[in-house]
Amino acid sequence: MKLFAFGSNGSGQLGIGHTEDVSIPTPCLFETDITNATDTTHQEKTDLTNILDDDIVHIAAGGNHTLLLTKRGAIYVAGCNIDGRCGPRYENQDEDGNISHFRRFILKDSITGSEVSTFKHVSATWEGTIAVASIPQPQYQSSENETQDKIYITGSSPKGTLTHNTTDPTQPGTSIPNFPPKDTKITSLSSSMAHTIAILSDGDVYGWGGSRKGQLGARNRESKIVCRPTKVDVPFPVKGGACGREFSVVWGSGGKLGVFADSGMKWGVTGIPEVLSGFSDSDENVCGGVRGCIPFASAGIGASWHGVYVHVAPASGSITANETDTQQHADSTPNPHPGSIIAWGRNDRGQLPPPTLPPTVHLAVGSEHVLALLENGQVAAFGWGEHGNCGPDTDPQGNVSGTYNIVPLPETVSAAGERIIGVGAGCATSFMLVS
């Protein structure tokens, strides 16, 4: 698998070997361990390559750092590491503390001293990293589960973003104590600039960080900052979630949808479109947010800083649809076009899908821009693209608004007969997976 990146790169967060912004997809570089066969000591050495021998399944991005989670559980990091948000200090960091190529994220548990190199989830706040690992249970504990989930936090934690309201960096290897609750696993993790939500195997939702805008539910609003994992009241079992800048979105089986946000939010995030309505207004205050229902098969839900995006399952079936075919409103609500996007929220820079956007196979939502892998194999980009994250062509304000760009592919991709299999997006950063 190859990874290409373009967009904001002032801290090396694109992992392309330097710290200059680029508007054309550029190969990412990975530091890999190799063994020199002629070296009788068999010492491991490092090499840089643009090919990763593992499948990338998730891309998380903070303000100036990027994290890649692979199918085998490895995390690769690039970008600003001045405070340890990319892990322990790295000998090849530049004088500003930046890492300009992707390296393996490996921690040493601050309590046990054991090395942790395999993870199941990862997310990023503006200046921090949150990673979940399955750790073997101590032998003295009697439990049916052989492993327990443990959340590691590293980087800066202003406003409780890493469960510590302090200006001192959180040291790599630090974990959140006594969470998740006994006999539960973390099934989904999402963060934005200053808050995080974790979905548990029993359908409960816990969150921490900024809460004054209602992003962690009505009960936690008065706290303004939540410095430990705290339950968020949701009136249905939750399967997944996504975080915007000051709001959260959660969803469950049967198409149930909830948005936690300040009802007076400027960009109308609580204004769920009529096609997604499905609950009476009397239920609105049960969870301190607004509720809706997705009456069609969905391929995923994403959140930008100020918008929500529901991806209608493509007709090709290349992405598994969610369990939405049994809800009570499916028969009475017309289904949107397969591969289309239903979105609402901020659109002053063209962040919402233009009406001419073709059917989409894969969707990636960034801070204020979106990448869409189209059915014909091309990548479309729209929204705020001042740093080149929507490709080389923007309007005088740096936007791709009311239309979309087709991102030009490197000649080497076409010449080799390779194809794009996925896209990712972060804080003015864009990524394309090629195989």
Side-chain angles (χ1 to χ4, degrees):
M1 177 177 286
K2 295 180 181 179
L3 182 67
F4 291 79
F6 50 106
S8 179
N9 192 39
S11 297
Q13 61 264 46
L14 296 183
I16 56 177
H18 58 75
T19 57
E20 300 295 327
D21 292 1
V22 296
S23 59
I24 299 295
T26 304
C28 296
L29 299 176
F30 293 87
E31 182 179 280
T32 58
D33 292 332
I34 62 172
T35 300
N36 188 340
T38 62
D39 187 349
T40 57
T41 62
H42 298 288
Q43 291 180 344
E44 286 192 340
K45 297 185 178 181
T46 57
D47 192 16
L48 286 180
T49 178
N50 65 343
I51 300 175
L52 183 64
D53 187 24
D54 199 356
D55 291 339
I56 297 172
V57 296
H58 181 64
I59 299 176
N64 292 289
H65 71 299
T66 305
L67 304 114
L68 313 173
L69 178 65
T70 73
K71 187 176 182 179
R72 298 174 188 167
I75 293 176
Y76 290 85
V77 294
C80 176
N81 197 33
I82 193 171
D83 53 6
R85 69 189 72 171
C86 290
R89 181 169 178 80
Y90 185 48
E91 62 181 8
N92 287 341
Q93 289 180 197
D94 65 21
E95 59 184 10
D96 296 319
N98 300 322
I99 305 168
S100 59
H101 60 263
F102 285 101
R103 61 171 287 252
R104 187 76 179 267
F105 179 80
I106 299 175
L107 302 175
K108 179 177 288 187
D109 190 295
S110 61
I111 298 175
T112 65
S114 59
E115 183 180 277
V116 184
S117 59
T118 303
F119 302 87
K120 56 185 290 189
H121 303 291
V122 67
S123 66
T125 59
W126 187 253
E127 299 174 304
T129 294
I130 302 166
V132 180
S134 292
I135 306 298
Q137 287 269 28
Q139 294 181 355
Y140 61 83
Q141 289 187 351
S142 58
S143 173
E144 295 181 358
N145 296 320
E146 295 181 355
T147 63
Q148 59 184 2
D149 283 355
K150 199 168 187 177
I151 301 182
Y152 291 93
I153 50 178
T154 183
S156 297
S157 184
K159 298 183 179 180
T161 54
L162 298 178
T163 68
H164 301 292
N165 188 13
T166 176
T167 57
D168 296 328
T170 303
Q171 296 302 310
T174 302
S175 60
I176 300 177
N178 305 316
F179 186 79
K182 185 179 179 181
D183 295 330
T184 62
K185 303 287 187 180
I186 295 172
T187 59
S188 176
L189 183 74
S190 179
S191 301
S192 187
M193 287 188 69
H195 77 287
T196 296
I197 58 172
I199 315 302
L200 304 188
S201 52
D202 60 4
D204 284 345
V205 182
Y206 281 75
W208 59 89
S211 61
R212 71 184 184 91
K213 294 291 186 178
Q215 57 265 59
L216 299 182
R219 186 174 65 173
N220 299 313
R221 182 191 295 265
E222 293 184 1
S223 300
K224 297 184 179 179
I225 297 174
V226 176
C227 289
R228 60 181 178 83
T230 303
K231 190 173 181 179
V232 180
D233 292 330
V234 184
F236 55 83
V238 175
K239 285 189 171 183
C243 294
R245 181 167 179 169
E246 293 179 323
F247 68 92
S248 302
V249 184
V250 296
W251 56 89
S253 60
K256 294 181 175 65
L257 178 74
V259 179
F260 298 94
D262 192 327
S263 60
M265 185 173 288
K266 178 180 179 181
W267 304 107
V269 171
T270 57
I272 297 178
E274 184 176 353
V275 69
L276 302 181
S277 63
F279 293 97
S280 66
D281 291 339
S282 62
D283 290 322
E284 180 173 333
N285 293 323
V286 171
C287 57
V290 293
R291 300 174 66 185
C293 180
I294 305 175
F296 48 80
S298 167
I301 301 173
S304 66
W305 277 357
H306 305 100
V308 183
Y309 300 74
V310 179
H311 185 198
V312 182
S316 63
S318 58
I319 295 180
T320 303
N322 291 338
E323 181 190 351
T324 54
D325 57 348
T326 59
Q327 64 236 354
Q328 60 188 19
H329 301 281
D331 295 334
S332 59
T333 304
N335 286 341
H337 191 278
S340 63
I341 304 166
I342 297 175
W344 64 99
R346 186 173 184 175
N347 196 36
D348 60 330
R349 295 179 176 269
Q351 296 97 318
L352 300 185
T356 56
L357 186 69
T360 298
V361 174
H362 186 209
L363 191 68
V365 181
S367 54
E368 296 287 6
H369 77 293
V370 176
L371 292 187
L373 176 58
L374 306 180
E375 289 184 338
N376 63 6
Q378 295 180 312
V379 173
F382 52 89
W384 178 57
E386 182 177 341
H387 290 275
N389 47 293
C390 288
D393 299 320
T394 65
D395 64 22
Q397 288 73 44
N399 305 320
V400 179
S401 181
T403 184
Y404 60 90
N405 279 348
I406 295 297
V407 179
L409 296 179
E411 293 182 2
T412 54
V413 173
S414 302
E418 297 169 325
R419 65 187 181 91
I420 302 170
I421 60 173
V423 289
C427 297
T429 55
S430 298
F431 300 89
M432 299 191 318
L433 293 166
V434 174
S435 178

